[in-house]
Every structure is written in C-alpha cells, then in structure tokens.
C-alpha cells in the first residue's frame, strides 16, 4: 500500500522534489520519522486486533522500520515490517492442521494494511512532511 500526499499544496510538493535533489540526507531523515510513526500505528493495530494474553510477545516486538531507499521509479521509500518468523501467518492466514488433517482455515488479520490506511487517513504523514519542509526552509535556506 502506498501513502498519498493529499494534504500537501503544490508549493510543498515542488519543495519536496527540490529537497530530495539538494538535501537527500534530510529527506531520508524525514522518511525515517514517517516510518517510525507507521510502525507505531502497526503496533497499536496489532494489539487491538490480536488476543495478546497468551504467548511471549515476539510478534509485537517484531515491528521495525526498514531502511530508506529509492525504488525503481526513483521515489524515496521506507518500509514498515514485522520480522517475527510467524508474522506472515497472522497477516495473511494459515491452514489449521491437527493430526495431519486440515480441519479449517484461520483468516489473516491484514494488520499492516489496516495500519497503513489509518496512518494515511490520520493526516500525520502530511503533517510530518510539512513540518520537516518548514524546518528545512528555516535551517537550510532551501
């Protein structure tokens, strides 16, 4: 799922493009900040969607922000992931097998999609971007 820049003005979008060219380290810092907030949303979503009274909590500790990188289209991207070995099972679902026989299917919770949607709808991404652009204008004279 990709996040949209709906709350930014045209000036801010142009400023963001200039910042990506002239100050790539500052742009990476801004994306890391947004990725950290997305992992916070993912943790909250997981806590509310999954019964966490049993187990050790490895799933909740597995939420991490990946490195900032440029994708094939040249866009700056950051990933929020869960590195727990069983995260994909909770995310997408799994077959329930007992005694070698399949007795059902446990549907996935799609936690990362829900967290990304909540983060996108909250407007916090646009707020982070605009605050960081304002800071770059003040400090760097962009």
């Amino acid at each position: 799922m990709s996040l949209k820049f709906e709350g930014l003005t045209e000036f801010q979008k142009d400023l963001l493009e200039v910042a990506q060219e002239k100050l790539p380290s500052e742009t990476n810092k801004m994306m890391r900040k947004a990725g950290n907030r997305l992992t916070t949303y993912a943790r909250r979503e997981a806590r509310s969607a999954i019964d966490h009274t049993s187990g050790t909590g490895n799933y909740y500790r597995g939420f991490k922000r990946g490195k900032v990188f440029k994708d094939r289209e040249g866009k700056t991207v950051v990933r929020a992931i869960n590195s727990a070995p069983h995260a994909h099972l909770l995310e997408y679902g799994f077959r329930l097998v007992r005694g070698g026989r399949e007795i059902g299917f446990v549907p996935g919770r799609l936690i990362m999609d829900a967290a990304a949607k909540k983060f996108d709808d909250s407007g916090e991404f646009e707020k982070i971007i605009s605050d960081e652009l304002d800071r770059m204008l003040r400090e760097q004279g962009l």
Side-chain angles (χ1 to χ4, degrees):
M1 176 172 202
S2 63
L3 302 175
K4 301 169 203 74
F5 293 112
E6 292 177 353
L8 299 179
T9 64
E10 288 300 318
F11 173 70
Q12 288 174 325
K13 288 178 185 177
D14 293 340
L15 195 60
L16 184 60
E17 288 177 13
V18 170
Q20 286 177 342
E21 292 172 13
K22 300 206 182 230
L23 301 168
S25 63
E26 292 294 322
T27 306
N28 289 349
K29 182 178 171 184
M30 177 175 29
M31 292 302 288
R32 282 192 299 270
K33 194 175 199 179
N36 286 337
R37 289 299 301 155
L38 180 56
T39 57
T40 302
Y41 272 80
R43 277 192 197 99
R44 281 188 202 146
E45 185 67 26
R47 292 249 182 230
S48 67
I50 296 174
D51 176 29
H52 59 276
T53 57
S54 62
T56 60
N58 290 331
Y59 177 69
Y60 304 110
R61 285 192 289 271
F63 287 103
K64 295 181 177 16
R65 174 195 38 86
K67 290 185 178 181
V68 177
F69 64 96
K70 295 225 184 244
D71 66 357
R72 292 181 185 171
E73 298 170 358
K75 296 178 183 174
T76 305
V77 179
V78 65
R79 289 188 182 134
I81 61 166
N82 191 318
S83 62
H86 61 295
H88 66 286
L89 299 173
L90 294 171
E91 185 74 19
Y92 302 114
F94 57 93
R95 296 179 341 183
L96 189 58
V97 178
R98 297 281 189 255
R101 294 179 46 194
E102 183 176 340
I103 62 170
F105 182 79
V106 177
R109 303 293 175 98
L110 300 175
I111 290 165
M112 294 303 285
D113 288 342
K117 183 168 177 18
K118 282 186 181 178
F119 182 64
D120 196 21
D121 291 343
S122 72
E124 196 165 342
F125 184 61
E126 289 86 3
K127 184 177 181 323
I128 290 170
I129 300 292
S130 63
D131 289 349
E132 290 295 317
L133 285 174
D134 290 344
R135 186 186 58 79
M136 281 191 256
L137 274 172
R138 279 193 315 272
E139 293 176 4
Q140 308 290 335
L142 189 63

